[in-house]
């Protein structure tokens, strides 16, 4: 044997194991905890405060430790462990490394159920908060499974279903919040994932339920391990896969509901811990259950202790759940290219959704007349103190409030529709849109930052900030997906991560108690209430100008779906074309997001409607989508003003409810 064969090929490196992975977090929790106690009454009195409320020295400090700090640490360990355990169960049952309580909408469903019960049926809470949360979480995951069942629970479709359920339930929660701000004010902090405690009651409530859940998971360990086999192999062992999946998912939803009912939504612990321990070498289900539970507890406790350590220098309250979500979004971006998502086929081509109309010009004229008629009805007809009334065209005092809103809604619909058409043709992905790919979320993050960080920013400043945020999101999308050839599923999952980051920033903003938070709530909901004639004309002019800029690019949009090689062979400057189109998408998204918020789904819905009507070529598709988007937003604004008169549902929320329902229908058809 040659001597070089005996020499090590690589320098020796210690093998990463789950134990070695957890050790730094154990040391972090111990170090931060000891630092907190040493900065207070000292180690002896600090540990004594765990068992009794007062000691002779520093009684006030030990009271805080006994009733607040120690219960908070216990709650962090319990909640983190419970969510991680739920995440392992979901990933095992669905065979999906991206399944988690947050990505599947379970946490949002539980949160919505608790909000609705607080307002509409508080007696249900007396039966047990965890059962109310269990009902909401079960409804959410049932919707997700129904959406993905026809595709064999393909990982990307499951996560997309979770995304739309998250956004849809978030829109419903926003409706409740808008109409009951005073009653739900305290839930804003809780909904962001607050671990603040004022006693041991919540820990005593959660601990036995999580213990029962852990025992049930241990009892199901051997049957669930069968799911590592393929379908045929599992059935050959006599296992009822349907009942087993139902039991595993039911247990995961129960664990999530218990945690959410006590501390609100804690982001990404259930996603991060199972994947990290798997990458560290825990392959068997039993090892993943044990190590993920421990790592989840340590991750949340470390994050919360760090947050407490820096909270004194921060200008606003930051909920722990929002912090973990903000940290989890980059983790998801890092995980996506490293995880095998299965062999699912990409979504079908957009052209399969419709036919080619023989006279698209005549069809566009009909849509324009329909838009004019709908806008006339929306402006002139409405409810008043004496019921439905038809305003006279000369009643300027009334029309000066209604006309700008309809005009601004139409302009935003045009911008979102064109942006959606551009991004769908650019990516050859019919399920893409500014909302789904996170472009609207990136624009919204930048806009919220400008509102809170700049003194009295002008509208031009806000548009510039929104455009930069949209461009930053696009840069992330391009940077992470260029190597994979802009595969549709990778683009969509990147959008999921950016949207999660937006949700985290929104939770921090709403939980801070800043008076500007009310302005942000109104803006996030997509209300046109504050639009005046000047701003309506500006929005409409911007929409028309950007539409004129997009019109000459129709040739590019006809060629790009054919693929990069074909486009280059036909003389298309590929890099420049993509850059120009992405810049235009950013401008369109920022302009519309500034007025109607980030979650309207018009950018997804309008291009599909245009395709279904028969607008197939790029130029006709842009025209048809712009008209359909304007129709959708004018309709949403009119319905929002009249459905619950004298209360209003903002146009953006109405559009998101309509568009979200369509998204679920479209995902079900894939």
């Amino acid at each position: 044997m040659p001597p070089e064969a005996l020499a090590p090929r690589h320098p020796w490196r210690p093998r990463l194991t789950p134990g070695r992975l957890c050790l730094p977090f154990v040391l972090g929790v111990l170090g931060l905890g000891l630092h907190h106690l040493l900065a207070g009454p000292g180690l002896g009195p600090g540990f004594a405060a765990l068992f009794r409320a007062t000691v002779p020295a520093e009684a006030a400090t030990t009271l805080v430790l006994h009733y607040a700090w120690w219960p908070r640490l216990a709650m962090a360990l319990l909640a983190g462990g419970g969510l991680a355990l739920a995440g392992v169960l979901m990933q095992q049952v669905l065979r999906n490394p991206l399944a988690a309580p947050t990505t599947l909408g379970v946490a949002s469903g539980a949160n919505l159920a608790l909000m609705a019960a607080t307002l509409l049926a508080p007696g249900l809470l007396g039966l047990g908060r965890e059962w109310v949360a269990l009902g909401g979480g079960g409804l959410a995951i049932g919707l997700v499974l129904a959406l993905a069942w026809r595709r064999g629970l393909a990982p990307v479709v499951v996560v997309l279903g979770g995304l739309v359920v998250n956004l849809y339930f978030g829109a419903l929660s926003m409706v409740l919040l808008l109409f009951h701000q005073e009653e739900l004010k305290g839930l804003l902090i809780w909904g962001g994932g607050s671990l603040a405690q004022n006693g041991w009651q919540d820990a005593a409530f959660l601990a036995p339920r999580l213990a029962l859940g852990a025992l049930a998971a241990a009892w199901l360990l051997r049957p669930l391990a069968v799911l590592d086999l393929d379908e045929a192999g599992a059935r050959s062992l006599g296992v009822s896969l349907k009942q087993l999946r139902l039991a595993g998912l039911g247990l995961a939803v129960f664990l999530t509901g218990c945690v959410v009912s006590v501390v609100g939504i804690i982001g990404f612990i259930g996603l991060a811990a199972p994947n990290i321990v798997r990458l560290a070498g825990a392959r068997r289900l039993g090892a993943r259950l044990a190590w993920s539970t421990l790592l989840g507890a340590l991750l949340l406790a470390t994050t919360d202790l760090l947050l407490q350590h820096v909270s004194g220098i921060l200008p606003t309250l930051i909920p722990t759940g929002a912090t973990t979500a903000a940290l989890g979004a980059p983790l998801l971006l890092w995980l996506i290219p490293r995880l095998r998502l299965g062999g699912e086929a990409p979504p079908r081509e957009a052209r399969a959704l419709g036919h080619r109309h023989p006279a698209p010009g005549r069809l566009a004229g009909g849509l324009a007349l329909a838009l004019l008629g709908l806008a006339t009805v929306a402006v002139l007809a409405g409810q008043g103190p004496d019921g439905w009334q038809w305003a006279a065209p000369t009643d300027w005092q009334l029309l000066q409030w209604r006309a700008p809103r309809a005009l601004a809604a139409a302009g935003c619909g045009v911008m979102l529709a064109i942006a959606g058409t551009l991004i769908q043709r650019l990516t050859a992905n019919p399920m893409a849109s500014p909302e789904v790919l996170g472009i609207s979320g990136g624009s919204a993050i930048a806009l919220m930052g400008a509102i809170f960080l700049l003194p009295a920013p002008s509208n031009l400043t806000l548009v510039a900030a929104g455009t930069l945020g949209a461009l930053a999101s696009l840069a992330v999308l391009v940077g992470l997906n260029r190597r994979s050839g802009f595969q549709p599923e990778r683009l969509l999952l990147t959008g999921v991560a950016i949207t999660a980051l937006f949700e985290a920033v929104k939770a921090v903003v709403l939980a801070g108690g800043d008076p500007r938070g009310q302005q942000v709530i109104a803006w996030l909901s997509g209300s046109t209430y504050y639009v005046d004639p000047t701003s309506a004309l500006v929005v409409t002019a911007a929409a028309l100008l950007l539409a004129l800029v997009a019109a000459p690019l129709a040739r590019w949009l006809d060629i790009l779906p054919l693929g990069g090689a074909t486009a280059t062979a036909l003389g298309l400057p590929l890099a420049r074309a993509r850059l120009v189109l992405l810049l235009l998408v950013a401008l369109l998204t920022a302009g519309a997001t500034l007025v109607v918020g980030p979650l309207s789904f018009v950018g997804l819905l309008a291009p599909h409607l245009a395709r279904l009507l028969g607008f197939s070529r790029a130029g006709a598709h842009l025209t048809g989508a712009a008209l359909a988007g304007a129709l959708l937003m004018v309709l949403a604004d009119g319905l929002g003003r009249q459905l619950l008169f004298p209360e209003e549902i903002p146009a953006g929320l109405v559009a998101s409810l309509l568009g979200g329902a369509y998204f679920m229908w479209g995902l079900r058809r894939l």
Side-chain angles (χ1 to χ4, degrees), residues 453-476:
L453 299 177
L454 300 178
S458 64
N459 286 335
L460 184 61
T461 303
L462 292 176
V463 169
T467 302
L468 289 175
L471 284 172
S473 298
L474 286 167
V476 172

Side-chain angles (χ1 to χ4, degrees), residues 82-108 134 137-138 140-142 144-145 153 158 217 224 227 244-245 247-257 260 270-271 274-275 278 285 288-289:
L83 290 173
L85 182 57
V88 176
L89 291 171
M90 289 179 176
Q91 292 178 13
Q92 180 71 10
V93 170
L94 297 175
R95 298 174 180 173
N96 183 351
L98 296 174
T102 45
T103 56
L104 296 187
V106 177
S108 296
L134 178 63
I141 200 166
V144 173
L145 294 179
L153 301 180
V158 169
L224 287 173
L227 294 176
L244 186 57
R245 283 172 172 159
L249 287 176
L251 179 56
V253 172
F254 172 75
L255 291 167
T256 304
V260 171
L271 172 70
N275 279 297
R278 183 192 289 271
L285 178 60
R288 282 189 283 126
L289 284 172

Side-chain angles (χ1 to χ4, degrees), residues 46-62:
F47 279 108
L50 173 62
F51 303 101
R52 60 182 186 272
T54 59
V55 293
E58 303 290 345
T61 306
T62 54

Side-chain angles (χ1 to χ4, degrees), residues 367-642:
L367 281 178
L369 289 175
L371 174 60
L372 182 60
L374 180 62
T376 301
V377 172
V379 171
L380 297 180
Q383 296 187 70
D386 302 321
W388 282 92
Q389 298 175 352
W390 187 269
T394 57
D395 189 0
W396 174 245
Q397 192 168 4
L398 180 61
L399 299 185
Q400 69 176 336
W401 294 103
R402 291 181 181 173
R405 297 180 62 172
L407 198 60
C412 291
V414 168
M415 287 191 280
L416 286 172
I418 293 176
T421 305
L422 293 176
I423 204 72
Q424 285 183 17
R425 285 186 167 267
L426 183 60
T427 62
N429 184 353
M431 299 307 289
S433 76
E435 302 92 345
V436 176
L437 294 185
I439 303 169
S440 294
S443 181
I445 291 172
L447 284 168
M448 285 189 285
I451 290 173
F452 277 82
L453 299 177
L454 300 178
S458 64
N459 286 335
L460 184 61
T461 303
L462 292 176
V463 169
T467 302
L468 289 175
L471 284 172
S473 298
L474 286 167
V476 172
L477 285 167
V478 172
L480 292 178
N481 293 278
R482 176 177 292 176
R483 181 172 295 180
S484 66
F486 298 97
Q487 294 176 1
E489 59 270 22
R490 302 284 176 181
L491 279 169
L492 293 170
L493 290 177
T494 308
V496 170
I498 297 174
T499 302
L501 182 61
F502 157 66
E503 292 293 333
V505 174
K506 182 180 76 173
V508 171
V509 168
L510 296 184
D514 194 299
R516 289 170 294 185
Q518 300 300 319
Q519 176 189 355
V520 171
I521 290 175
W523 168 69
L524 286 173
S525 63
S527 176
T528 58
Y529 183 80
Y530 299 102
V531 173
D532 55 28
T534 302
S535 56
L537 289 174
V538 170
V539 170
T540 306
L544 292 175
L545 177 62
L546 292 173
L548 290 174
V549 172
L553 307 180
R555 178 178 173 273
W556 291 357
L557 297 175
D558 278 325
I559 295 174
L560 281 171
L562 301 177
T566 304
T568 303
L570 292 174
L572 181 68
L574 196 59
R576 189 176 68 187
R578 285 175 172 167
L579 183 62
V580 170
L581 290 171
L582 290 175
L583 178 60
L584 186 56
V585 168
L587 288 170
L588 289 162
T589 303
T593 302
L594 183 61
V595 180
V596 295
L599 299 177
S600 66
F601 279 108
V602 172
L604 172 74
L605 186 51
H608 276 237
L609 289 178
R611 179 77 72 174
L612 287 169
L613 289 172
F615 295 100
S616 59
R617 295 293 299 272
H621 195 192
L622 286 170
T623 303
L627 291 170
L631 270 167
L632 285 169
M633 284 305 301
V634 172
L635 177 63
D637 185 62
L639 288 176
R641 285 191 285 111
Q642 304 301 333

